[in-house]
Amino acid sequence: MATGPRWSARIALLITILMCGAVMGAFDAFGMPAGIFPMAQQTSASPTPTRTPTPTPSETCDIPIPVPPVCEEDSSSPSASPTPSASPSASAEEHDSTISINYARTAFTGAVNSAAKCEPKRKVIVRKVRKGPDTLIGKDTTDNKGKWSVAFEDPHGKYYAKVLKRVFTQLDTEVTCNGAKSKVLRVG
């Protein structure tokens, strides 16, 4: 008798069910699933056969039970558990910024003005205005007072500076320092 893939899968499923039932003690003394089929030809006059006690779920078994694989959730579907949120004591601050640009001797210079905590460690870029994408001239990070400089000799044209947005946490407070763009400076 030829067995196809469907029969093989059905036989494997039946064997798995029988093994699980044996492990869980779900079969009666006759090898039948307990509680599913009535015992054959049992009459009220015949004595009730004694059943072996079934193991409780807390008892250990000698036969390992296969555990189904755990599949990760699809990232596009909403998760069943709530997303952790910030603690109630945490707060947020947002500060606007301004940036200036000048050219003296051999460098562009300027300063970022904002709340005191938003002036240091800010990323500054200087670009030259062009048709199409503007050309990057240089980058700098502001000092503790918000000052910056980018060395560039003999510039001719229009230039501007941008300070990038910065977000950091300070004493359980999320601080957002907004970015800004300077006025356009004509040099030469």
mmCIF file of all heavy atoms in Angstrom, residues 155-183:
data_model
loop_
_atom_site.group_PDB
_atom_site.id
_atom_site.type_symbol
_atom_site.label_atom_id
_atom_site.label_comp_id
_atom_site.label_asym_id
_atom_site.label_seq_id
_atom_site.Cartn_x
_atom_site.Cartn_y
_atom_site.Cartn_z
ATOM 1 N N PRO A 155 37.426 82.497 0.441
ATOM 2 C CA PRO A 155 36.087 82.147 -0.050
ATOM 3 C C PRO A 155 35.511 83.257 -0.933
ATOM 4 O O PRO A 155 35.791 84.435 -0.733
ATOM 5 C CB PRO A 155 35.280 82.007 1.234
ATOM 6 C CG PRO A 155 35.901 82.987 2.154
ATOM 7 C CD PRO A 155 37.378 82.982 1.821
ATOM 8 N N HIS A 156 34.740 82.880 -1.902
ATOM 9 C CA HIS A 156 33.989 83.821 -2.722
ATOM 10 C C HIS A 156 32.624 83.190 -2.966
ATOM 11 O O HIS A 156 32.527 82.056 -3.419
ATOM 12 C CB HIS A 156 34.681 84.091 -4.062
ATOM 13 C CG HIS A 156 35.981 84.810 -3.916
ATOM 14 N ND1 HIS A 156 36.049 86.145 -3.627
ATOM 15 C CD2 HIS A 156 37.259 84.369 -4.002
ATOM 16 C CE1 HIS A 156 37.324 86.503 -3.555
ATOM 17 N NE2 HIS A 156 38.076 85.434 -3.779
ATOM 18 N N GLY A 157 31.563 83.915 -2.626
ATOM 19 C CA GLY A 157 30.232 83.389 -2.847
ATOM 20 C C GLY A 157 29.342 83.570 -1.635
ATOM 21 O O GLY A 157 29.607 84.390 -0.753
ATOM 22 N N LYS A 158 28.273 82.789 -1.602
ATOM 23 C CA LYS A 158 27.297 82.866 -0.510
ATOM 24 C C LYS A 158 27.420 81.602 0.352
ATOM 25 O O LYS A 158 27.480 80.489 -0.174
ATOM 26 C CB LYS A 158 25.878 82.951 -1.074
ATOM 27 C CG LYS A 158 25.618 84.191 -1.889
ATOM 28 C CD LYS A 158 24.209 84.145 -2.437
ATOM 29 C CE LYS A 158 23.926 85.344 -3.309
ATOM 30 N NZ LYS A 158 22.571 85.291 -3.883
ATOM 31 N N TYR A 159 27.409 81.814 1.687
ATOM 32 C CA TYR A 159 27.592 80.718 2.640
ATOM 33 C C TYR A 159 26.559 80.826 3.760
ATOM 34 O O TYR A 159 26.067 81.916 4.061
ATOM 35 C CB TYR A 159 29.003 80.778 3.252
ATOM 36 C CG TYR A 159 30.094 80.644 2.220
ATOM 37 C CD1 TYR A 159 30.567 81.762 1.527
ATOM 38 C CD2 TYR A 159 30.655 79.407 1.933
ATOM 39 C CE1 TYR A 159 31.561 81.644 0.575
ATOM 40 C CE2 TYR A 159 31.648 79.277 0.978
ATOM 41 C CZ TYR A 159 32.092 80.405 0.311
ATOM 42 O OH TYR A 159 33.082 80.285 -0.645
ATOM 43 N N TYR A 160 26.276 79.691 4.365
ATOM 44 C CA TYR A 160 25.405 79.686 5.545
ATOM 45 C C TYR A 160 25.859 78.565 6.485
ATOM 46 O O TYR A 160 26.580 77.642 6.093
ATOM 47 C CB TYR A 160 23.934 79.505 5.172
ATOM 48 C CG TYR A 160 23.596 78.201 4.502
ATOM 49 C CD1 TYR A 160 23.191 77.092 5.246
ATOM 50 C CD2 TYR A 160 23.661 78.076 3.112
ATOM 51 C CE1 TYR A 160 22.877 75.892 4.626
ATOM 52 C CE2 TYR A 160 23.344 76.886 2.498
ATOM 53 C CZ TYR A 160 22.955 75.791 3.251
ATOM 54 O OH TYR A 160 22.657 74.608 2.642
ATOM 55 N N ALA A 161 25.429 78.661 7.740
ATOM 56 C CA ALA A 161 25.747 77.647 8.749
ATOM 57 C C ALA A 161 24.445 77.035 9.254
ATOM 58 O O ALA A 161 23.410 77.709 9.307
ATOM 59 C CB ALA A 161 26.523 78.271 9.895
ATOM 60 N N LYS A 162 24.514 75.769 9.617
ATOM 61 C CA LYS A 162 23.364 75.076 10.212
ATOM 62 C C LYS A 162 23.823 74.397 11.493
ATOM 63 O O LYS A 162 24.900 73.812 11.533
ATOM 64 C CB LYS A 162 22.819 74.001 9.265
ATOM 65 C CG LYS A 162 22.033 74.548 8.108
ATOM 66 C CD LYS A 162 21.548 73.449 7.205
ATOM 67 C CE LYS A 162 20.340 72.780 7.811
ATOM 68 N NZ LYS A 162 19.690 71.825 6.881
ATOM 69 N N VAL A 163 23.011 74.509 12.526
ATOM 70 C CA VAL A 163 23.240 73.747 13.749
ATOM 71 C C VAL A 163 22.191 72.634 13.753
ATOM 72 O O VAL A 163 21.018 72.882 13.488
ATOM 73 C CB VAL A 163 23.177 74.615 15.024
ATOM 74 C CG1 VAL A 163 21.826 75.282 15.186
ATOM 75 C CG2 VAL A 163 23.521 73.796 16.259
ATOM 76 N N LEU A 164 22.642 71.414 13.999
ATOM 77 C CA LEU A 164 21.755 70.263 13.935
ATOM 78 C C LEU A 164 21.012 70.063 15.251
ATOM 79 O O LEU A 164 21.465 70.484 16.315
ATOM 80 C CB LEU A 164 22.556 69.005 13.591
ATOM 81 C CG LEU A 164 23.386 69.092 12.311
ATOM 82 C CD1 LEU A 164 24.149 67.798 12.080
ATOM 83 C CD2 LEU A 164 22.521 69.414 11.107
ATOM 84 N N LYS A 165 19.873 69.441 15.163
ATOM 85 C CA LYS A 165 19.060 69.143 16.341
ATOM 86 C C LYS A 165 19.820 68.183 17.253
ATOM 87 O O LYS A 165 20.518 67.286 16.785
ATOM 88 C CB LYS A 165 17.742 68.497 15.890
ATOM 89 C CG LYS A 165 16.805 68.114 17.000
ATOM 90 C CD LYS A 165 15.533 67.503 16.412
ATOM 91 C CE LYS A 165 14.544 67.116 17.472
ATOM 92 N NZ LYS A 165 13.301 66.585 16.899
ATOM 93 N N ARG A 166 19.670 68.365 18.566
ATOM 94 C CA ARG A 166 20.311 67.471 19.533
ATOM 95 C C ARG A 166 19.296 67.100 20.605
ATOM 96 O O ARG A 166 18.582 67.967 21.112
ATOM 97 C CB ARG A 166 21.519 68.159 20.174
ATOM 98 C CG ARG A 166 22.225 67.297 21.184
ATOM 99 C CD ARG A 166 23.508 67.943 21.686
ATOM 100 N NE ARG A 166 24.136 67.058 22.649
ATOM 101 C CZ ARG A 166 24.555 67.420 23.839
ATOM 102 N NH1 ARG A 166 24.466 68.676 24.216
ATOM 103 N NH2 ARG A 166 25.104 66.555 24.658
ATOM 104 N N VAL A 167 19.226 65.812 20.934
ATOM 105 C CA VAL A 167 18.334 65.326 21.985
ATOM 106 C C VAL A 167 19.171 64.545 22.985
ATOM 107 O O VAL A 167 19.964 63.685 22.600
ATOM 108 C CB VAL A 167 17.223 64.414 21.401
ATOM 109 C CG1 VAL A 167 16.320 63.902 22.504
ATOM 110 C CG2 VAL A 167 16.420 65.144 20.347
ATOM 111 N N PHE A 168 19.031 64.859 24.270
ATOM 112 C CA PHE A 168 19.763 64.146 25.313
ATOM 113 C C PHE A 168 18.930 64.140 26.591
ATOM 114 O O PHE A 168 17.928 64.834 26.708
ATOM 115 C CB PHE A 168 21.143 64.782 25.555
ATOM 116 C CG PHE A 168 21.106 66.217 26.008
ATOM 117 C CD1 PHE A 168 21.154 66.540 27.355
ATOM 118 C CD2 PHE A 168 21.025 67.247 25.091
ATOM 119 C CE1 PHE A 168 21.123 67.861 27.767
ATOM 120 C CE2 PHE A 168 20.993 68.565 25.493
ATOM 121 C CZ PHE A 168 21.041 68.881 26.840
ATOM 122 N N THR A 169 19.350 63.313 27.546
ATOM 123 C CA THR A 169 18.643 63.214 28.827
ATOM 124 C C THR A 169 19.520 63.792 29.919
ATOM 125 O O THR A 169 20.714 63.494 29.994
ATOM 126 C CB THR A 169 18.313 61.742 29.156
ATOM 127 O OG1 THR A 169 17.545 61.211 28.077
ATOM 128 C CG2 THR A 169 17.524 61.636 30.442
ATOM 129 N N GLN A 170 18.904 64.635 30.755
ATOM 130 C CA GLN A 170 19.624 65.259 31.859
ATOM 131 C C GLN A 170 18.719 65.216 33.084
ATOM 132 O O GLN A 170 17.627 65.820 33.081
ATOM 133 C CB GLN A 170 19.998 66.699 31.493
ATOM 134 C CG GLN A 170 20.830 67.398 32.536
ATOM 135 C CD GLN A 170 21.174 68.815 32.107
ATOM 136 O OE1 GLN A 170 20.320 69.532 31.609
ATOM 137 N NE2 GLN A 170 22.427 69.188 32.289
ATOM 138 N N LEU A 171 19.135 64.482 34.113
ATOM 139 C CA LEU A 171 18.366 64.359 35.365
ATOM 140 C C LEU A 171 16.912 63.957 35.099
ATOM 141 O O LEU A 171 15.977 64.647 35.498
ATOM 142 C CB LEU A 171 18.418 65.679 36.149
ATOM 143 C CG LEU A 171 19.805 66.169 36.565
ATOM 144 C CD1 LEU A 171 19.710 67.542 37.190
ATOM 145 C CD2 LEU A 171 20.468 65.183 37.506
ATOM 146 N N ASP A 172 16.706 62.844 34.412
ATOM 147 C CA ASP A 172 15.372 62.304 34.083
ATOM 148 C C ASP A 172 14.528 63.236 33.225
ATOM 149 O O ASP A 172 13.314 63.126 33.193
ATOM 150 C CB ASP A 172 14.587 61.947 35.354
ATOM 151 C CG ASP A 172 15.118 60.700 36.015
ATOM 152 O OD1 ASP A 172 15.779 59.904 35.318
ATOM 153 O OD2 ASP A 172 14.852 60.505 37.207
ATOM 154 N N THR A 173 15.161 64.173 32.549
ATOM 155 C CA THR A 173 14.445 65.088 31.667
ATOM 156 C C THR A 173 15.005 64.939 30.257
ATOM 157 O O THR A 173 16.214 65.028 30.060
ATOM 158 C CB THR A 173 14.607 66.554 32.127
ATOM 159 O OG1 THR A 173 14.112 66.671 33.456
ATOM 160 C CG2 THR A 173 13.869 67.503 31.218
ATOM 161 N N GLU A 174 14.134 64.677 29.300
ATOM 162 C CA GLU A 174 14.568 64.606 27.912
ATOM 163 C C GLU A 174 14.621 66.029 27.363
ATOM 164 O O GLU A 174 13.604 66.719 27.308
ATOM 165 C CB GLU A 174 13.605 63.760 27.084
ATOM 166 C CG GLU A 174 14.090 63.595 25.659
ATOM 167 C CD GLU A 174 13.169 62.740 24.835
ATOM 168 O OE1 GLU A 174 13.321 61.505 24.882
ATOM 169 O OE2 GLU A 174 12.287 63.315 24.155
ATOM 170 N N VAL A 175 15.808 66.442 26.974
ATOM 171 C CA VAL A 175 16.021 67.801 26.476
ATOM 172 C C VAL A 175 16.175 67.749 24.957
ATOM 173 O O VAL A 175 16.998 67.005 24.439
ATOM 174 C CB VAL A 175 17.282 68.425 27.114
ATOM 175 C CG1 VAL A 175 17.508 69.839 26.597
ATOM 176 C CG2 VAL A 175 17.175 68.418 28.635
ATOM 177 N N THR A 176 15.361 68.535 24.253
ATOM 178 C CA THR A 176 15.443 68.639 22.804
ATOM 179 C C THR A 176 15.912 70.037 22.451
ATOM 180 O O THR A 176 15.270 71.026 22.807
ATOM 181 C CB THR A 176 14.071 68.378 22.148
ATOM 182 O OG1 THR A 176 13.627 67.083 22.530
ATOM 183 C CG2 THR A 176 14.155 68.471 20.643
ATOM 184 N N CYS A 177 17.063 70.113 21.773
ATOM 185 C CA CYS A 177 17.593 71.387 21.299
ATOM 186 C C CYS A 177 17.352 71.421 19.789
ATOM 187 O O CYS A 177 17.961 70.651 19.043
ATOM 188 C CB CYS A 177 19.082 71.499 21.600
ATOM 189 S SG CYS A 177 19.492 71.251 23.340
ATOM 190 N N ASN A 178 16.453 72.275 19.349
ATOM 191 C CA ASN A 178 16.080 72.325 17.932
ATOM 192 C C ASN A 178 17.211 72.868 17.077
ATOM 193 O O ASN A 178 18.015 73.684 17.518
ATOM 194 C CB ASN A 178 14.825 73.169 17.743
ATOM 195 C CG ASN A 178 13.606 72.495 18.332
ATOM 196 O OD1 ASN A 178 13.487 71.284 18.299
ATOM 197 N ND2 ASN A 178 12.687 73.272 18.878
ATOM 198 N N GLY A 179 17.230 72.417 15.840
ATOM 199 C CA GLY A 179 18.222 72.898 14.892
ATOM 200 C C GLY A 179 17.852 74.282 14.360
ATOM 201 O O GLY A 179 16.745 74.774 14.578
ATOM 202 N N ALA A 180 18.809 74.898 13.656
ATOM 203 C CA ALA A 180 18.569 76.237 13.092
ATOM 204 C C ALA A 180 19.519 76.469 11.917
ATOM 205 O O ALA A 180 20.539 75.795 11.778
ATOM 206 C CB ALA A 180 18.782 77.309 14.149
ATOM 207 N N LYS A 181 19.152 77.443 11.083
ATOM 208 C CA LYS A 181 19.967 77.826 9.931
ATOM 209 C C LYS A 181 20.249 79.318 10.034
ATOM 210 O O LYS A 181 19.372 80.114 10.376
ATOM 211 C CB LYS A 181 19.217 77.513 8.642
ATOM 212 C CG LYS A 181 19.964 77.834 7.381
ATOM 213 C CD LYS A 181 19.130 77.458 6.161
ATOM 214 C CE LYS A 181 19.801 77.919 4.885
ATOM 215 N NZ LYS A 181 18.988 77.618 3.709
ATOM 216 N N SER A 182 21.487 79.701 9.732
ATOM 217 C CA SER A 182 21.868 81.114 9.811
ATOM 218 C C SER A 182 21.378 81.875 8.581
ATOM 219 O O SER A 182 20.897 81.285 7.618
ATOM 220 C CB SER A 182 23.386 81.241 9.894
ATOM 221 O OG SER A 182 23.970 80.925 8.635
ATOM 222 N N LYS A 183 21.565 83.174 8.619
ATOM 223 C CA LYS A 183 21.325 83.986 7.423
ATOM 224 C C LYS A 183 22.409 83.640 6.405
ATOM 225 O O LYS A 183 23.446 83.088 6.754
ATOM 226 C CB LYS A 183 21.355 85.463 7.774
ATOM 227 C CG LYS A 183 22.703 85.933 8.310
ATOM 228 C CD LYS A 183 22.684 87.423 8.622
ATOM 229 C CE LYS A 183 23.972 87.897 9.236
ATOM 230 N NZ LYS A 183 25.183 87.736 8.481
#
